[in-house]
Amino acid sequence: MELNTALQKLKEYEKRSFALYHASGLMYYDGATTAPKGSAGVRAITLGELSRMSYELTTAKESIEMLECLIAHSDELDPVTRRKASELYRDYERTHKIPIDEFVAYQQLCSEADSVWHDAKAASDFSMFEPYLQKMFDSTKRIALYMEPGKHPYETMLDTYERGLTIAACDEFFDTLKKRLVPLMHRVAERGDRVNDAPLRQSFPIAKQRELSDYLMDVMGIDRNHCILGETEHPFTTDFSKYDVRITTHYYKDKFASSMYSVIHEGGHALYELHTGDELSCSNLGRGVSMAIHESQSRFYENIIGRSREFCGLIFPFVKKEFCPLLNDVSAEEFYRMINKSSPSLIRTEADELTYCLHIMIRYRLERAMFDGSITARDLPHEWNRLYKEYLGIDVPSDKYGVLQDSHWANGNIGYFPSYAIGSAYGAQYYKEMNRDFDVKAAISAGDIGRINSWLEDKIWKYGCMKDPVALFESVCGRFDPSCYADYLENKFTEIYGL
Amino acid sequence: MELNTALQKLKEYEKRSFALYHASGLMYYDGATTAPKGSAGVRAITLGELSRMSYELTTAKESIEMLECLIAHSDELDPVTRRKASELYRDYERTHKIPIDEFVAYQQLCSEADSVWHDAKAASDFSMFEPYLQKMFDSTKRIALYMEPGKHPYETMLDTYERGLTIAACDEFFDTLKKRLVPLMHRVAERGDRVNDAPLRQSFPIAKQRELSDYLMDVMGIDRNHCILGETEHPFTTDFSKYDVRITTHYYKDKFASSMYSVIHEGGHALYELHTGDELSCSNLGRGVSMAIHESQSRFYENIIGRSREFCGLIFPFVKKEFCPLLNDVSAEEFYRMINKSSPSLIRTEADELTYCLHIMIRYRLERAMFDGSITARDLPHEWNRLYKEYLGIDVPSDKYGVLQDSHWANGNIGYFPSYAIGSAYGAQYYKEMNRDFDVKAAISAGDIGRINSWLEDKIWKYGCMKDPVALFESVCGRFDPSCYADYLENKFTEIYGL
């Protein structure tokens, strides 16, 4: 194939690949927010078929010839095209080893399992979900072994969400964190009465919570012309290019801070997607590069920015006005302390910053055990509850608040959870670096979130998938150092709890 | 190709074809209800690419061989498979004559034009929309000539929406109707003061209107597990199979009846789609057969049922309760008269039953003139306003309330409008037939809309696309007789206005 032909074919390939990605993504978003309940069956058919088309495109003889030609002419290509070709070829190498029927069946399983999970969670009935969950782990393991026959299948999955991440690195990271955080958690627990968050647990009108969401998106500088907020069971973000990003939240009358921090968290994901480079858009490089880098944005905005004293001070006048008179007697400083109240709890997405990573470690241990075959899906509720007792010292009252709480396994995202903890830890290093360039607290107090956005856009967002995640992180912060995150947490919670 | 192979290939073809239909449909629905405004550009790319895939599937060598094999073995096939094959072959014959780039460009034009139309309507600025509209007519004409080179292109478009419909038949139908309805409209106008609908034009809370929509869907027996109600600029219905139907409405504070009758109208479309035969679902036969048959369901529920004295009596207690005290002094009989107030008006979708078809005739004349080349897009506002004066005797104050009001041309639905009038006329004949089987008024009064639904399901809905539209209609009502509709309108409005 001539180079010019290959370049032309790349354009056609990208268009088709983007259309399939866009259509599947919308199908998923719609299913989670809008679609009638009885539509899950037909959606599964369509999602299966779209993934079949995607597989066919990736593995088509013509596609491979195009990629081989581009790679052979690598030196003549501009950096964007070169990266596109090498990333597409990597996809091909992983995908073509999976038999097509296995590939399609897996996609269908994801949409079916998601639908069953919703019902099982609502009914707090694990037995409904158990067979799907077992199939999901089995199928994921098989696919991992197809993709990388010589590698531990769980490591292949870690690498799928965070390229280069290994079991050894995870073990080391979590060990460090556990050693620092568990004693800190116990010290905080002894002073639990120093922070009273009862005022946050009053009944806040949902219409007002919706207005708060709009306000927060504006404060964060999210372009509403390209980003909407939907409502769903389990908040998530999805993007169909930098021109169409969807974030979601869930409103509870008696937990307005839950929805508020979902919006800020998902807003962090959205900002990343909305600012990938124009020249990458609608291509395989035009999205966030990995899950840890993605979560490092969302968790950074949610916690390091969103739960800072300065951010609380910035938004509190609006919060107070909206929820007046419920927060009449609360000051901005008290609000800051309340939303940072730390205590071992059941639900990961509502966990405080200090205990959050312990929730992740539990999931990491369970995923490993499922992959090692030392437990099966049937054992998961019991093991889940046992680990919550071991790590957080609490009893799980029912599976709805336990093993059924997260959507990840239902959606096939096995090996994803560690990214949350690594991303959280990355954030502490961004914060340190950012402060070398300007006074971040002062920028927040001044309402100048745009300055933070510009810094991240320049260092991370605009690159999309142009760099590997580790290289991208190191280009900004140097070597990854989990103790930086542990220090950040220790300083913050020591101060709040007067330890 | 062996018959067994062809039958297997048909299944694969259907799955893929359904997935592309489903994905495009959802993309359109989302764009009209939910998507961020700035997403139109990427949506156009994806819709163009999905239509390219659809074209490739329809015209693939393998698809044609499969269809030729099935048709050669026609006698051995069950009736459903036989019909599937012959209808797919008809699609192929029409589609393959259109050059693929023309086909894709047309789909992209549809999504771009729709987006521009929204903005142009909001700004009441026809000049923004004019170039797109001209391109839309030009492109439609070219495509019609590709599909049926020897035929008048407008007749090809009529036939696209209503198989077998001709210009001559339309002319005759509209002439008959005009002769009967225009004099009746003038007689009613002289007695205009006999019906006062001022109470309907008060300010009704939108949250309450939403509750009314839910109630109406329940009264109509619409299965909410497979049908949702969205909100949009211009109400429409779309279906992604009988398991996932979407209807939409638009709320105006000072016109609650507008939204109410949109819900009933779109609900009629939904009932049809929700009750196509199970054995046809997710195939090319598993949807409403034509636009006139579709509109004959929606307009039947909206007007013949929904604006009947009995239906008004049935729902008025709920309406009054919701909108109390705004309707305190109104009786069910007065409500019936109000929602049937007839007077020449600007907006088709809000026109009363009597003047409605005159709005259609205007659009029919304009479409014909655009196809004949006697006018261009630039002339449309002027011609529109001239015809509104001629037919309805009213002045159009601005293009927002004139030529920009409908979404059809922006979506490429040229030749569709006559279906509304023909469908409306069909309804009067259903009503006559239905009354031979049971007392329709008594059923409505008893709240037994299910009886009406069952009758239509049995005679029409379950057949999907198994019969041609004319054959389907004639199997229920015998020969089409427009005077039946004129009689129905004359009786109804003569009684209401005491002529």
Side-chain angles (χ1 to χ4, degrees), chain A residues 43-340:
Chain A
R43 193 161 47 253
I45 296 175
T46 297
L47 280 167
E49 199 56 29
L50 292 172
S51 70
R52 186 184 291 273
M53 286 185 243
S54 182
Y55 180 99
E56 285 172 4
L57 179 65
T58 305
T59 58
K61 199 164 155 270
E62 205 179 33
S63 305
I64 304 159
E65 283 171 11
M66 164 195 80
L67 291 174
E68 284 171 346
C69 170
L70 292 174
I71 286 164
H73 291 83
S74 216
D75 295 347
E76 299 159 58
L77 303 176
D78 64 87
V80 170
T81 309
R82 194 184 307 133
R83 177 81 179 171
K84 281 178 179 175
S86 64
E87 288 293 288
L88 288 175
Y89 197 75
R90 183 175 185 272
D91 278 354
Y92 157 71
E93 280 196 310
R94 289 165 67 96
T95 307
H96 87 279
K97 296 181 202 148
I98 310 166
I100 183 155
D101 290 337
E102 180 85 40
F103 184 86
V104 173
Y106 171 75
Q107 304 296 336
Q108 279 179 350
L109 176 61
C110 287
S111 34
E112 281 163 23
D114 183 65
S115 161
V116 174
W117 166 73
H118 272 98
D119 295 343
K121 183 178 174 182
S124 195
D125 180 355
F126 182 76
S127 70
M128 287 164 69
F129 186 49
E130 187 203 308
Y132 290 87
L133 190 52
Q134 184 65 50
K135 267 193 242 171
M136 187 61 85
F137 271 94
D138 292 344
S139 175
T140 304
K141 200 167 161 178
R142 278 199 308 277
I143 284 178
L145 285 167
Y146 280 123
M147 289 195 295
E148 306 269 5
K151 198 164 163 178
H152 191 299
Y154 187 61
E155 194 152 287
T156 300
M157 292 315 297
L158 289 176
D159 182 77
T160 298
Y161 296 106
E162 191 61 21
R163 198 179 299 175
L165 186 59
T166 62
I167 292 176
C170 275
D171 284 344
E172 194 193 326
F173 169 59
F174 285 131
D175 282 349
T176 307
L177 227 51
K178 197 181 170 197
K179 273 187 204 128
R180 296 278 307 267
L181 298 191
V182 172
L184 181 58
M185 181 183 84
H186 288 306
R187 286 167 64 211
V188 165
E190 283 164 21
R191 304 285 175 96
D193 56 348
R194 295 209 174 168
V195 178
N196 168 26
D197 68 347
L200 298 185
R201 284 180 274 109
Q202 301 174 85
S203 181
F204 295 88
I206 285 175
K208 290 285 175 191
Q209 293 194 40
R210 290 201 180 98
E211 285 172 33
L212 177 58
S213 299
D214 281 330
Y215 167 75
L216 291 169
M217 289 174 77
D218 288 344
V219 167
M220 292 176 77
I222 294 170
D223 176 2
R224 304 300 293 271
N225 191 40
H226 294 295
C227 180
I228 56 161
L229 173 65
E231 293 177 27
T232 185
E233 172 66 26
H234 188 292
F236 65 94
T237 297
T238 193
D239 75 287
F240 316 136
S241 80
K242 65 179 292 181
Y243 305 110
D244 189 348
V245 179
R246 315 283 175 105
I247 70 174
T248 57
T249 191
H250 188 132
Y251 295 104
Y252 305 91
K253 266 201 178 147
D254 58 347
K255 288 190 279 192
F256 89 89
S258 162
S259 156
M260 177 176 154
Y261 282 96
S262 285
V263 170
I264 302 176
H265 177 98
E266 305 305 336
H269 284 302
L271 282 168
Y272 187 9
E273 292 295 343
L274 289 163
H275 293 91
T276 49
D278 285 339
E279 73 285 9
L280 311 174
S281 89
C282 304
S283 84
N284 60 326
L285 307 181
R287 57 192 73 139
V289 66
S290 75
M291 286 309 126
I293 299 289
H294 237 304
E295 295 300 338
S296 76
Q297 307 309 306
S298 54
R299 303 260 320 146
F300 178 78
Y301 279 92
E302 179 191 347
N303 295 303
I304 296 184
I305 304 298
R307 291 189 210 267
S308 68
R309 181 174 273 123
E310 294 70 30
F311 194 81
C312 290
L314 174 69
I315 65 168
F316 192 63
F318 186 91
V319 174
K320 190 156 181 164
K321 183 169 70 68
E322 284 304 286
F323 296 134
C324 178
L326 289 165
L327 298 177
N328 247 357
D329 300 329
V330 176
S331 69
E333 175 64 20
E334 283 166 326
F335 180 62
Y336 165 66
R337 291 167 60 80
M338 282 173 195
I339 57 107
N340 280 298

Side-chain angles (χ1 to χ4, degrees), chain A residues 15-16 18-19 22 26 30 34-39 42 46 49 52-53 56 225-226 228 241 244 246, chain B residues 15-16 18-19 22 26-27 30 34-39 42 46 49 52-53 56 225-226 228 241 244 246:
Chain A
K15 239 191 199 177
R16 179 140 311 182
F18 173 72
H22 187 179
L26 180 60
D30 175 77
T34 306
K37 256 189 93 49
S39 65
V42 283
T46 297
E49 199 56 29
R52 186 184 291 273
M53 286 185 243
E56 285 172 4
N225 191 40
H226 294 295
I228 56 161
S241 80
D244 189 348
R246 315 283 175 105
Chain B
K15 239 194 202 176
R16 181 142 309 184
F18 173 72
H22 187 180
L26 179 59
M27 200 66 61
D30 174 77
T34 304
K37 257 188 92 51
S39 64
V42 282
T46 297
E49 199 56 30
R52 184 184 293 271
M53 287 184 241
E56 285 173 5
N225 192 40
H226 294 294
I228 56 161
S241 83
D244 189 347
R246 314 283 175 104

